[in-house]
Amino acid sequence: MKKILVEICTGTTCHVMGSEAIMEIRDMLASRFKDIVEIKATSCIGLCRERNAEQAPFVKVNGRVVPEANLLRVTQMINEIERGD
Amino acid sequence: MLSDNNASRIVKKLLVETARLSLEENLEEEIDRLVINMIPKNSAANRCCVHKDRAVIKYRLMAILGRSIEDEQDELKPLSEYAKETLNREKITEPVLTVIDEACSACPSGRHFVTNVCRGCVARPCMVNCPKDAIEIHNGRAEIDEDRCVNCGICLKVCPYNAIVEIPVPCESACPVGAISKDQSGKEKIDYSKCIFCGRCMTSCPFGAIMERSQIIDVAKKLAEGRRVAALTAPSAAGQFPCDFKQLKGAILKAGFGEVLEVAEGADITAKKEAEEFEEKIREGQKFMTSSCCPVYKEAAKKHIPELWEFISDTPTPMEFAGRRAKADSPDCITVFIGPCIAKRQEALEGSSIDHVLTCEELGAILVAKDIFVRETNHAETLGSASIEARKFAVSGGVTNAVKTHLSGSTEIKPELIDGLDKKNIKKLSDMCKANTDANFVEVMNCKGGCVGGPGNLSSPARAAKRIEKSFE
Ligand code: SF4
Ligand code: SF4
Ligand code: FES
């Protein structure tokens, strides 16, 4: 299967709003994902400036934006992408 | 502690919004509207309805304005009036925490409960062993009679299927000193004659019902007015943002602080004096001496382990030394300690050299409100002159290491580390006073891992420790 790319924003706004906790996501994923999910930390991806900062932290999964991201939301998005939704 | 939950995210949003409003000097005019903006008419309710959600937001904002919810006299008093009072206040008052009864869900207290894993076995060890005859079998399954049950937990231990669980009240089970309990209405209340300000109740409540009384508005107001405000960064603050310390320092200056002093410079003085005091006291025959920089620990000794008091070092804390130095350099400056700690608010109230205490989370909210991005900020020119040992005060074992570097060698140090103040360690400290102990220097930290594990932090202890290491290598 093609890799799923998870980009976690670690810019200041996203960091303050809690992105660091999402960095632990690897441990939360079902084992079938372990080899196909790639996790990357990025610097500010600009969304906090475009939209309002209160929707941070932002995570992108294969380019799809997850606002107010947390472990649950990001995992759901990974599932959705795997199912091809 | 790193919390990834909605309750803490809502608090952070509110901190950012209120910081922004006060930096724009719009707080009084806009704060009532903030409640509606947060919970608009058609939003999906977290609790029973939009109105309850709004009420909780209002009380959260009161805590952010630095008020005690318990003091509310008039439910109709708008936030704008509270904001006005905060903007005019010069003095901070006790206590440092407040319970939002509207948010407290009155969790049923410490009950034992039979789950459907129960097989209604013939042996019935739960029933046979219950000292209060509280268990009966109905429809092939054990049932606990709540009126008789005394929560001894024997049934839970004897069930061969692990079918019985204990449902805890999160804040009560987190509290190491039994300072939080229910009032008649079932809502939690803090007994401040017992509380040691560790903040565990606050970080453990899944409803976010316990909050700090913030001083973010007091600080933001002084920044907006252009007053001379000095930031005193705790050693652990250096690891809390995704950048090195010089950049963080640059960001704090950009936010309007007049200068940034490292509390680690105060830690150098504390370590030196503590080393001298240690050698003197052991020479004079004292059994052991403990560190003194963690205010939660000192509060615990004062209120719960009085026999320990005489063993605590008399040396003032790094925060106190740093504050004195800032006031000596410029007597009319406002000193703001920035760190991970709730109890430092209490320590500041009792001393005279620190005007305000912000958590790293609150500093973060100010940076976000001002659109300051740490990694895009210019480095501050100087790093400061603290020693590397003092800069590592924030990680468990750091105090001992710093003290060691100042010892003359006349007395052999036999250190022991109390890493996290829980019920067990409180008992251990009390026993050390009574019985013999091998150690002669005891470092006590309330937070596991040291201040990098503090409740007002933004980073995980491991990452924070790594950043501190990298910033000062
Ligand atoms: S702050 Fe600590 S000591 Fe005080 S009530 Fe909460 S858990 Fe207990
Ligand atoms: S270990 Fe540090 S952060 Fe934790 S309570 Fe003590 S001084 Fe505060
Ligand atoms: S900090 Fe994450 S989008 Fe800007």
Side-chain angles (χ1 to χ4, degrees):
Chain A
M1 197 188 158
K2 243 184 83 214
K3 285 241 176 203
I4 299 179
L5 176 63
V6 177
E7 294 170 282
I8 302 170
C9 177
T10 60
T12 303
T13 308
C14 291
H15 176 76
V16 170
M17 297 307 286
S19 68
E20 212 180 78
I22 310 173
M23 302 289 278
E24 314 300 325
I25 191 163
R26 181 161 291 284
D27 305 332
M28 314 279 291
L29 289 175
S31 53
R32 67 177 191 282
F33 286 124
K34 296 271 183 242
D35 293 329
I36 57 165
V37 169
E38 185 185 335
I39 294 155
K40 230 175 91 185
T42 73
S43 47
C44 174
I45 50 179
L47 291 169
C48 65
R49 304 174 212 213
E50 255 172 54
R51 308 183 184 195
N52 59 24
E54 285 65 53
Q55 286 193 313
F58 292 102
V59 171
K60 277 185 181 173
V61 185
N62 273 4
R64 285 203 224 167
V65 176
V66 184
E68 300 199 18
N70 56 25
L71 288 167
L72 178 67
R73 287 196 179 178
V74 176
T75 320
Q76 282 171 340
M77 182 62 98
I78 294 172
N79 280 319
E80 262 175 44
I81 287 177
E82 189 209 22
R83 283 198 311 265
D85 296 0
Chain B
M1 238 233 349
L2 260 200
S3 44
D4 174 49
N5 66 48
N6 287 332
S8 88
R9 208 185 326 271
I10 290 170
V11 171
K12 287 191 212 178
K13 276 189 194 179
L14 293 172
L15 281 170
V16 170
E17 284 300 324
T18 43
R20 190 172 283 147
L21 290 176
S22 33
L23 290 164
E24 290 165 358
E25 305 197 285
N26 252 338
L27 185 70
E28 238 184 286
E29 294 74 20
E30 295 291 328
I31 192 159
D32 286 306
R33 182 162 299 281
L34 193 52
V35 180
I36 315 282
N37 290 349
M38 281 295 290
I39 315 281
K41 213 177 197 164
N42 299 321
S43 52
N46 270 318
R47 293 183 164 78
C48 58
C49 63
V50 171
H51 307 290
K52 176 98 171 176
D53 280 353
R54 285 183 182 166
V56 173
I57 297 286
K58 176 189 164 188
Y59 290 118
R60 293 203 186 293
L61 285 167
M62 268 177 78
I64 289 174
L65 290 170
R67 309 294 302 232
S68 275
I69 308 331
E70 292 85 345
D71 288 349
E72 184 188 52
Q73 301 278 339
D74 175 6
E75 280 183 68
L76 273 180
K77 183 164 163 174
L79 284 166
S80 55
E81 265 182 55
Y82 288 114
K84 189 171 174 184
E85 286 169 12
T86 301
L87 290 169
N88 288 327
R89 74 175 177 178
E90 280 302 323
K91 278 254 159 292
I92 306 298
T93 51
E94 293 183 48
V96 298
L97 290 164
T98 182
V99 183
I100 304 176
D101 58 351
E102 197 80 23
C104 172
S105 100
C107 310
S109 65
R111 272 183 28 210
H112 284 80
F113 185 80
V114 185
T115 64
N116 57 11
V117 175
C118 172
R119 296 175 59 85
C121 59
V122 179
R124 304 201 168 155
C126 55
M127 209 173 140
V128 178
N129 287 292
C130 176
K132 296 287 170 192
D133 281 335
I135 299 185
E136 279 170 24
I137 309 287
H138 290 298
N139 302 328
R141 188 183 293 170
E143 241 173 51
I144 300 176
D145 178 346
E146 267 180 52
D147 295 334
R148 290 189 173 173
C149 171
V150 292
N151 282 313
C152 66
I154 292 176
C155 55
L156 177 148
K157 289 193 199 97
V158 296
C159 171
Y161 299 106
N162 297 329
I164 299 174
V165 293
E166 185 185 356
I167 309 173
V169 180
C171 61
E172 287 181 15
S173 28
C175 180
V177 292
I180 186 161
S181 57
K182 295 184 181 304
D183 64 12
Q184 298 91 325
S185 67
K187 307 272 180 155
E188 296 293 329
K189 226 182 154 84
I190 298 176
D191 176 350
Y192 289 104
S193 68
K194 291 186 184 163
C195 175
I196 57 176
F197 314 114
C198 65
R200 289 194 180 87
C201 52
M202 186 177 100
T203 47
S204 68
C205 172
F207 293 89
I210 298 141
M211 276 183 73
E212 296 181 72
R213 290 171 62 197
S214 178
Q215 299 171 28
I216 194 169
I217 306 300
D218 306 76
V219 176
K221 177 194 171 208
K222 284 163 187 160
L223 290 176
E225 283 173 347
R227 305 258 297 262
R228 190 172 173 73
V229 188
L232 277 57
T233 54
S236 83
Q240 295 306 316
F241 290 85
C243 63
D244 65 31
F245 183 67
K246 264 192 178 177
Q247 257 179 333
L248 176 63
K249 204 170 161 180
I252 297 173
L253 292 172
K254 199 171 167 196
F257 288 84
E259 63 206 302
V260 183
L261 299 167
E262 271 183 275
V263 172
E265 291 182 21
D268 269 322
I269 312 178
T270 299
K272 184 163 181 290
K273 292 206 188 286
E274 217 152 81
E276 287 162 10
E277 190 188 349
F278 164 74
E279 291 191 322
E280 192 183 313
K281 288 198 163 149
I282 301 300
R283 211 178 312 124
E284 284 168 359
Q286 183 170 310
K287 191 157 69 166
F288 65 88
M289 186 182 96
T290 82
S291 61
S292 63
C293 51
C294 173
V296 171
Y297 156 56
K298 281 214 272 198
E299 206 69 27
K302 211 189 295 172
K303 290 174 175 164
H304 303 281
I305 335 170
E307 64 276 21
L308 187 62
W309 193 250
E310 58 175 304
F311 296 101
I312 301 178
S313 154
D314 297 324
T315 302
T317 64
M319 174 176 97
E320 179 62 26
F321 279 123
R324 284 183 196 172
R325 156 116 184 256
K327 292 277 186 192
D329 289 352
S330 110
D332 56 350
C333 79
I334 315 271
T335 47
V336 180
F337 175 87
I338 298 171
C341 193
I342 288 166
K344 286 281 177 198
R345 293 197 203 270
Q346 182 68 23
E347 187 190 330
L349 276 170
E350 288 165 11
S352 58
S353 71
I354 301 293
D355 298 305
H356 294 295
V357 173
L358 287 187
T359 59
C360 295
E361 185 177 276
E362 288 162 335
L363 171 66
I366 291 179
L367 296 181
V368 174
K370 292 206 110 179
D371 293 320
I372 295 171
F373 288 81
V374 286
R375 265 200 299 248
E376 295 165 23
T377 308
N378 292 335
H379 290 73
E381 273 161 29
T382 57
L383 191 58
S385 63
S387 73
I388 183 69
E389 288 80 14
R391 284 173 168 148
K392 289 186 183 168
F393 242 61
V395 183
S396 258
V399 178
T400 310
N401 277 339
V403 166
K404 271 187 188 162
T405 62
H406 293 285
L407 291 175
S408 72
S410 67
T411 310
E412 193 201 343
I413 183 169
K414 288 172 271 178
E416 167 140 9
L417 187 63
I418 302 282
D419 182 21
L421 211 58
D422 49 19
K423 285 189 187 114
K424 211 175 94 218
N425 279 335
I426 289 178
K427 168 95 180 22
K428 186 170 173 186
L429 281 163
S430 158
D431 290 345
M432 281 179 96
C433 304
K434 290 169 214 143
N436 275 334
T437 159
D438 294 333
N440 61 9
F441 182 83
V442 188
E443 174 183 322
V444 191
M445 287 291 192
N446 166 62
C447 300
K448 192 133 188 56
C451 301
V452 283
N457 276 338
L458 289 168
S459 271
S460 66
R463 274 177 218 270
K466 218 183 277 162
R467 281 198 200 104
I468 294 173
E469 193 82 39
K470 247 184 97 192
S471 275
F472 302 119
E473 70 194 1

